[in-house]
Amino acid sequence: MKLTRRKLEIVSTAAKLFRKKGYNSVSMRDLAQALDIKAASLYNHISSKQEILAIIILEVAEDFTEHINTVFPESINSVEKLESVIENHIQITVEKTNALACLNNDWMHLEQSDLESYLVMRNAYEAKMRNIIEQGIQQKQLQDRNVDLVLFSLLSTLRTLHLWYSKNKETSPQLMFEEMKQNLLHGIIR
């Protein structure tokens, strides 16, 4: 979705506020005040707070979906696919920290049709990740472990990376990728 400069500013400011206070605690007045405009002026650019939330969450979900849909069918091995997924999570975390926090914390506040769209993307993403892990186990590239626990371990770390990154922004994305790839895929045992 292509946003006007002003709408992009509104969405970006809202993402910061939603991350800081939570979606339910932010009013349109709060948003207008943060933008230094009148609340009524917001409605020239946006129809509702719900529209803003949907833009934030669905855009990030689409970023993840596009990436997994590109990587999944590639003729690279499962470890390389997982490395690509880790790198993508890091890139989105660095570039869209506030939006990622909203996705993780406020997705359940989406209205029905947007919620359904989000859940379809999330479930498809998790299914493709599960399939990559299963292929890796079958091809002896990954240890034979409980697939659901491996998936949970990977995704819970990657989905909450924004919490760590917001306190460690001086860490380069390249270092994060190298360390997290090592930690998540190869472990920390000598």
Side-chain angles (χ1 to χ4, degrees), residues 68-69 72 119-135 147-148 151 155 159:
I68 199 84
N69 287 344
F72 184 73
L119 291 174
V120 164
M121 285 188 275
R122 186 180 76 181
N123 292 339
Y125 187 89
E126 290 177 0
K128 285 184 171 113
M129 282 286 293
R130 182 177 284 106
N131 193 281
I132 291 169
I133 295 165
E134 288 169 346
Q135 286 176 357
V147 174
D148 289 328
L151 180 64
L155 289 181
R159 285 177 175 158

Side-chain angles (χ1 to χ4, degrees), residues 5-155:
R5 186 180 59 77
R6 188 59 162 165
K7 197 168 189 176
L8 187 60
E9 181 184 12
I10 292 167
V11 169
S12 177
T13 301
K16 288 177 193 169
L17 290 173
F18 294 167
R19 178 178 184 201
K20 182 177 178 182
K21 299 167 96 177
Y23 173 76
N24 284 333
S25 297
V26 175
S27 69
M28 290 298 268
R29 286 195 193 288
D30 294 332
L31 180 55
Q33 186 176 18
L35 291 161
D36 197 29
I37 62 174
K38 293 183 178 173
S41 297
L42 280 174
Y43 295 102
N44 293 327
H45 306 281
I46 207 92
S47 65
S48 66
K49 188 172 86 163
Q50 183 59 221
E51 179 189 359
I52 297 169
L53 183 67
I55 290 168
I56 294 167
I57 290 175
L58 295 178
E59 180 183 293
V60 175
E62 288 166 4
D63 289 345
F64 284 118
T65 298
E66 287 173 18
H67 182 265
I68 199 84
N69 287 344
T70 300
V71 169
F72 184 73
E74 284 187 3
S75 59
I76 57 176
N77 69 46
S78 295
V79 173
E80 292 169 316
K81 289 178 183 182
L82 291 173
E83 288 173 349
S84 182
V85 166
I86 291 168
E87 190 167 17
N88 186 56
H89 272 268
I90 292 168
Q91 181 178 345
I92 290 172
T93 297
V94 169
E95 293 174 2
K96 299 180 179 186
T97 308
N98 294 321
L100 185 56
C102 290
L103 179 137
N104 287 327
N105 300 330
D106 295 316
W107 64 267
M108 69 289 301
H109 299 298
L110 289 169
E111 289 181 347
Q112 193 61 36
S113 65
D114 291 327
L115 178 61
E116 288 171 8
S117 294
Y118 167 70
L119 291 174
V120 164
M121 285 188 275
R122 186 180 76 181
N123 292 339
Y125 187 89
E126 290 177 0
K128 285 184 171 113
M129 282 286 293
R130 182 177 284 106
N131 193 281
I132 291 169
I133 295 165
E134 288 169 346
Q135 286 176 357
I137 291 170
Q138 290 168 0
Q139 296 167 353
K140 308 287 188 218
Q141 297 162 345
L142 301 174
Q143 293 182 27
D144 189 2
R145 302 289 172 125
N146 180 291
V147 174
D148 289 328
L149 286 173
V150 172
L151 180 64
F152 169 76
S153 298
L154 286 170
L155 289 181

